[in-house]
Amino acid sequence: MNAAIGNLRTLVLNADMQPLSWAPLSAWSWQQGLVAVLQERVIQVKTYEGLRVSSASQSFEIPAVVALKTYRRRKKVPYTRFNVFLRDEFRCQYCGKRFSASELTFDHVIPRARSGGSRWTNIVTACGPDNLRKGCRTPKEAGMRLLRTPFEPSPRQLDDIARRLPMAKEGLHQTWLDFLYWDSELEE
């Protein structure tokens, strides 16, 4: 197998032809995509042009985009570090600057020492200096203001945020673009 094929991913669409998830973007390894196609669990929508893999007796196109046969509804967003950073658009909720995930921390709006729990409505994204400056105080006590009150996002809200971020279009294969930006404003 050539090295270019090894890194390919397969975009996974829901039955309505929208990405199953934007946050993170729903994608499988091409191997997982091919197995799902062969098992008829998905519909192969698009393949990587000119790229094939072979077994001893057959040759297969590599799926670039597949769609689930039945619609899968997402009910809740998992409470994860990535999803909190995504909800807050990778911005410190005190200074407003955007950072990479490795430069960000969590901040408990009501400190844990004061019974502030680790939940969507009490956690915000913060840069290291602002988190240190706030310390074990409330934002008001520290003389700091939150850009936005923390909230539990719906899957749709998180997808909308992920789509707006500048990094959303980085590293996307050309074959995927027609399926990702159906609702984008058209250029004249």
Side-chain angles (χ1 to χ4, degrees):
M1 172 179 20
N2 93 33
I5 292 175
N7 295 327
L8 292 178
R9 311 273 298 150
T10 300
L11 176 65
V12 183
L13 303 176
N14 213 332
D16 65 356
M17 301 304 278
Q18 295 294 312
L20 191 58
S21 167
W22 272 87
L25 188 61
S26 52
W28 293 337
S29 69
W30 70 265
Q31 295 95 330
Q32 290 171 302
L34 181 59
V35 167
V37 168
L38 294 174
Q39 292 176 343
E40 299 181 356
R41 291 186 291 128
V42 297
I43 299 163
Q44 184 166 281
V45 178
K46 198 160 190 159
T47 60
Y48 285 106
E49 198 171 310
L51 295 178
R52 300 181 76 83
V53 291
S54 299
S55 71
S57 60
Q58 288 182 289
S59 179
F60 304 97
E61 293 179 305
I62 297 175
V65 181
V66 297
L68 301 179
K69 287 186 170 185
T70 57
Y71 185 79
R72 191 164 107 199
R73 181 175 167 85
R74 294 182 314 159
K75 295 176 180 117
K76 265 188 111 158
V77 172
Y79 178 62
T80 66
R81 182 178 189 84
F82 178 82
N83 286 342
V84 171
F85 291 165
L86 183 59
R87 177 203 63 190
D88 294 343
E89 300 181 33
F90 292 86
R91 290 186 188 278
C92 172
Q93 292 301 290
Y94 296 108
C95 70
K97 293 180 187 164
R98 184 170 280 151
F99 294 90
S100 69
S102 63
E103 299 172 298
L104 290 170
T105 63
F106 285 150
D107 178 59
H108 290 77
V109 178
I110 298 171
R112 281 190 291 191
R114 297 188 190 178
S115 302
S118 294
R119 61 185 178 278
W120 283 110
T121 56
N122 192 49
I123 294 284
V124 295
T125 301
C127 65
D130 282 342
N131 199 348
L132 194 60
R133 188 171 69 134
K134 181 181 164 285
C136 195
R137 300 176 288 178
T138 66
K140 185 177 182 177
E141 291 168 347
M144 301 167 78
R145 288 181 33 155
L146 282 170
L147 294 178
R148 177 174 63 195
T149 303
F151 63 97
E152 181 175 351
S154 69
R156 171 104 181 165
Q157 286 172 311
L158 215 56
D159 285 349
D160 288 344
I161 292 165
R163 215 180 333 224
R164 284 195 313 265
L165 289 176
M167 64 186 141
K169 294 180 186 171
E170 293 173 10
L172 299 179
H173 194 273
Q174 192 65 34
T175 58
W176 296 8
L177 298 181
D178 286 341
F179 302 95
L180 296 178
Y181 296 99
W182 281 107
D183 57 355
S184 296
E185 193 171 314
L186 298 174
E187 296 178 16
E188 291 185 34

